[in-house]
Amino acid sequence: MNSQEVSPEAMDADAGGCIDTPISVLSDDLLAQCFAVLDDGTLRVAAGTCRRWAALLRERAELFRSVRFDLPPKRSRGRDRRNSYTTPCALNVDRVAAWLARRAGAIAQVHIGLLYPDALALLPRLLPPLAPALRRLVLEGGCVDWPYMWVDWRWLADMRQLESLELRDALPGMAELLLPPSLTELYIDRVGEGEQETEGWDELPACYSRLVSLRSVTLGTAATYLLQADEESALAPLRVARGLRELRLPDGALSGVPDVVARFPQLTLLSFRGCDKLEAFGETCMVKQDPFLPLAALQRLRHLDFSSCALESLPPHLGSLPLRTLLLADNRLAALPPPAAGDHAAAQQASGGGRGPAAAAAAAQPLAAQPLAALPPLLEHLDASGNAFPSFPAASLCRLSGLTHLDLCRCWAMPTTAADWRGLLAALPRLRQLRHSCALLAAEERGHGGAAGLAAALGACTDLELRRVPPSGEPRRGGMPGGSKRARSASSLEQLEEAAAAALLAAPRQQEAGAGGSGPGCSAGGAGALAQLLVAVGCSQSAAV
C-alpha cells in the first residue's frame, strides 16, 4: 500500500469521518492550547476545517481574547457611489452582535475598523455586552473623509473595566466624548475633519476630570484657533491625573508649554512633535513671559520630543533636566549649545529631586536668574537631523560622553570634513549608532573595511554602527517621463561623489608614502585619477539634469 494511502481501519466513524492522524488524536485540551496562540482571524478559518474543531471553538470562548474586524459599507453602484458613507453596513450586524455576546466573558481586546462614518452608530449594539471583560478598545477610522456628525458615546462611559482606549482618526468631535474613569491609557491622534478650519479641539470635556488613573495620554491636533489666554483652562481637567507618566500633544498650535505640565511630578515622557507654533508664539506671547518655564519642574523627565516645532534656538531649562533622550529633528536650529556644566546629580539632590520647597523655589526664580539654554549632560540619544547648522557642532557634541545614539542626517548646510567625524567618534567612546548623510564619512568607513575597522582605529565603541541616509529616496513608479533614467543617473552620481571623496582622502596618504622617492609622480597620478572622477561627476550632473 502506498504510504500516502490510509487504510479503512484508520477511519474513526465517531469523529465524523476524520482521519486518525496525530492532530486528530489530540485531546480537546491539547487542541485548545494549540489554538490559544492563534489570532481570531485564523481561529475563524480553523473553525471551517471540521465539525470537531468548529464545536470546540464554539465551546471554548476563552480562546477569543483578542478580536479584530471591520465594519465596511455596502458596495454601491452608479450614483449611489458618491454617497456611499450613508449606505448600511455590509455585515449582518445582528449576527456579529450575537457572536460577540457568546464570548463576552473572554474578549479582553477589540480592534474595529470603521470604514464609513455611520459605523459609529453601530457600536452601541455591539460593544456593551463586552463591558465585564473588555480591557482594551481600538477604533480606527478615517474622519478626514467624514462629514461632521454628532456621536452618542454614552455606551463608552459604562465600560467600567476598560483600561486602554485608542481612537485613531475616529473621533469627529471632542465635546460629546464620554470616557470611563477606569482608563489608564488614552490615545487620540486627531479630532475632526481634515480641513484646517474645522480640525482640532479647543477644550477638554468634563469627563477628563474623572480620569484620576491615567498614566499615558496622547491628544493630537489642538485647534489652531486657540487663544493664548485659553490654553491653560483648555487643559485644566488633566490636573487630576497626578500619576501621569507619558504626555503627548502632537500637531497642535500651543504657544508654549502648558502650566498644567508642572503638576505631573511623575512625568517621564513629554512630546510636542509637530507643534510648529511654539517658537512663533513664544517670542511674542504676552500671557507667559517664559513659554518653557514649566519644564524646570519636571525633574524625572527622561524623554523630550521637540521634533518639527520650528525652533530657531534650543529651549531653556533643558540643562537642569535628567534627560536621556532629546529629539530636535526638522527644526530651524542654527547651533547646539554645550552641555550644562557641573555635577547634575549634586544639583538634583540639592533641589530635592524636583520635589519639596527647594524645587518650588527654583521654579519660582525670576527670568534673569534662570539658566541659559544648554544640552542636558546625561543625554544618551540625540536626534538633530534636518537642521540647518552653519558649522559642525563638534564642541558641544564631544562633551556628551554618555551619548550612545546620534542622528545628524539631512543637515545639508552643515560643512564637515573627515577629520571632524574622526574627532567626534574618538571623543564619544560609548556611541553605538550614528546616522549621517555625509559621503566623506562613508568613504572613510570603506577605507577602513567597515565601521568596526574605523572604530578600532579611533578607539571608539566596538559595536559602532554607521547608517548613511541618502540625499534622495527611492524612485517613484509612474512619475515623470525618464524617471528611471534620472534615478540611475542620481545613483551613479552618488557613487562617483563617494569615489571622489575617497580619492581626496587617499591623496595625502599617497604623498606621505612617496615622500622618499618619486613623490611628485605619485601625487600627479592621484590628481589625474581625481580629475577623471570630477569629469565623470560633471557629466553625470548634466545627464541627470
Side-chain angles (χ1 to χ4, degrees):
M1 180 181 294
N2 192 349
S3 59
Q4 295 182 355
E5 297 179 359
V6 182
S7 62
E9 292 78 6
M11 302 295 293
D12 186 5
D14 295 335
C18 293
I19 298 177
D20 189 10
T21 58
I23 190 66
S24 63
V25 299
L26 295 179
S27 64
D28 291 347
D29 294 335
L30 290 178
L31 280 176
Q33 293 182 14
C34 297
F35 289 153
V37 300
L38 303 178
D39 58 88
D40 66 300
T42 307
L43 289 177
R44 289 196 291 267
V45 174
T49 303
C50 62
R51 291 193 296 270
R52 180 192 176 193
W53 287 16
L56 179 62
L57 292 175
R58 282 196 303 267
E59 297 171 357
R60 301 295 181 97
E62 66 275 8
L63 296 176
F64 292 88
R65 295 189 55 83
S66 178
V67 176
R68 178 167 185 167
F69 60 93
D70 297 334
L71 294 178
K74 185 176 70 174
R75 294 182 180 179
S76 56
R77 297 181 180 179
R79 297 184 60 183
D80 239 3
R81 190 182 302 275
R82 296 176 297 177
N83 299 323
S84 59
Y85 62 85
T86 62
T87 58
C89 182
L91 295 179
N92 188 332
V93 180
D94 294 333
R95 184 176 179 180
V96 174
W99 188 91
L100 293 174
R102 289 195 299 267
R103 297 159 178 81
I107 297 178
Q109 177 177 337
V110 174
H111 187 132
I112 302 179
L114 307 173
L115 304 188
Y116 75 114
D118 287 351
L120 286 170
L122 302 178
L123 298 182
R125 300 171 56 185
L126 300 176
L127 297 181
L130 307 181
L134 191 61
R135 296 294 187 272
R136 184 169 184 263
L137 175 61
V138 181
L139 301 179
E140 185 173 1
C143 65
V144 66
D145 301 322
W146 297 353
Y148 179 77
M149 63 181 66
W150 183 84
V151 180
D152 187 3
W153 293 101
R154 288 177 295 180
W155 62 270
L156 182 58
D158 296 332
M159 311 290 287
R160 301 296 181 179
Q161 303 298 326
L162 192 64
E163 299 176 355
S164 175
L165 175 62
E166 296 186 20
L167 300 177
R168 299 183 178 273
D169 202 4
L171 184 59
M174 179 74 78
E176 61 270 14
L177 184 62
L178 297 175
L179 299 174
S182 58
L183 283 181
T184 60
E185 180 182 357
L186 177 62
Y187 180 92
I188 301 176
D189 58 349
R190 64 186 305 171
V191 179
E193 300 181 59
E195 298 180 3
Q196 188 174 6
E197 292 79 8
T198 59
E199 181 179 0
W201 52 273
D202 54 354
E203 62 179 353
L204 300 179
C207 63
Y208 281 81
S209 60
R210 298 180 298 170
L211 305 180
V212 296
S213 302
L214 277 179
R215 295 295 181 268
S216 175
V217 175
T218 299
L219 296 173
T221 61
T224 56
Y225 49 84
L226 267 178
L227 298 177
Q228 297 170 1
D230 296 334
E231 290 183 3
E232 302 303 330
S233 61
L235 295 169
L238 284 179
R239 296 177 180 177
V240 298
R242 301 288 295 178
L244 194 65
R245 297 180 180 275
E246 299 180 1
L247 177 60
R248 299 174 179 87
L249 300 171
D251 302 322
L254 301 175
S255 63
V257 179
D259 290 340
V260 70
V261 171
R263 296 179 176 267
F264 305 135
Q266 308 295 329
L267 203 64
T268 60
L269 185 148
L270 181 60
S271 175
F272 294 97
R273 179 182 292 266
C275 296
D276 55 356
K277 306 298 183 184
L278 280 177
E279 184 72 8
F281 286 128
E283 296 177 351
T284 59
C285 183
M286 302 302 297
V287 179
K288 298 170 62 175
Q289 294 181 348
D290 187 353
F292 301 101
L293 182 59
L295 293 176
L298 305 179
Q299 292 302 317
R300 293 191 177 184
L301 194 64
R302 296 296 185 269
H303 308 276
L304 182 59
D305 189 355
F306 275 121
S307 301
S308 303
C309 290
L311 297 178
E312 298 180 358
S313 60
L314 194 69
H317 314 292
L318 299 187
S320 61
L321 299 179
L323 290 178
R324 300 300 190 272
T325 301
L326 179 60
L327 307 182
L328 301 170
D330 299 316
N331 282 290
R332 304 171 184 172
L333 298 177
L336 286 177
D343 188 359
H344 172 74
Q348 184 178 2
Q349 185 177 3
S351 62
R355 302 181 299 274
Q365 290 181 353
L367 294 181
Q370 293 291 351
L372 299 177
L375 286 174
L378 303 179
L379 272 185
E380 297 177 357
H381 186 171
L382 176 61
D383 185 356
S385 60
N387 287 279
F389 297 119
S391 60
F392 190 67
S396 301
L397 297 177
C398 290
R399 296 176 61 180
L400 298 173
S401 58
L403 208 60
T404 59
H405 293 76
L406 178 61
D407 193 342
L408 292 175
C409 67
R410 298 184 291 107
C411 296
W412 310 118
M414 182 177 64
T416 57
T417 62
D420 293 334
W421 294 109
R422 289 195 297 266
L424 178 65
L425 295 177
L428 300 177
R430 299 183 181 179
L431 189 65
R432 296 199 301 267
Q433 184 181 104
L434 173 61
R435 298 179 77 247
H436 65 95
S437 299
C438 182
L440 291 175
L441 181 56
E444 187 79 10
E445 179 184 3
R446 287 196 304 272
H448 287 81
L454 180 60
L458 300 176
C461 180
T462 56
D463 298 332
L464 179 62
E465 179 183 1
L466 300 178
R467 295 186 179 181
R468 187 191 177 195
V469 178
S472 59
E474 295 294 331
R476 297 181 178 179
R477 295 184 179 180
M480 64 178 63
S484 58
K485 181 178 179 181
R486 290 173 182 266
R488 289 194 298 269
S489 300
S491 61
S492 60
L493 173 60
E494 180 182 340
Q495 296 175 358
L496 290 172
E497 288 178 347
E498 294 181 359
L504 285 172
L505 294 173
R509 300 174 184 172
Q510 292 179 358
Q511 292 181 2
E512 294 177 359
S518 56
C522 294
S523 61
L530 181 59
Q532 294 178 359
L533 286 173
L534 293 177
V535 170
V537 168
C539 295
S540 298
Q541 286 180 343
S542 61
V545 173

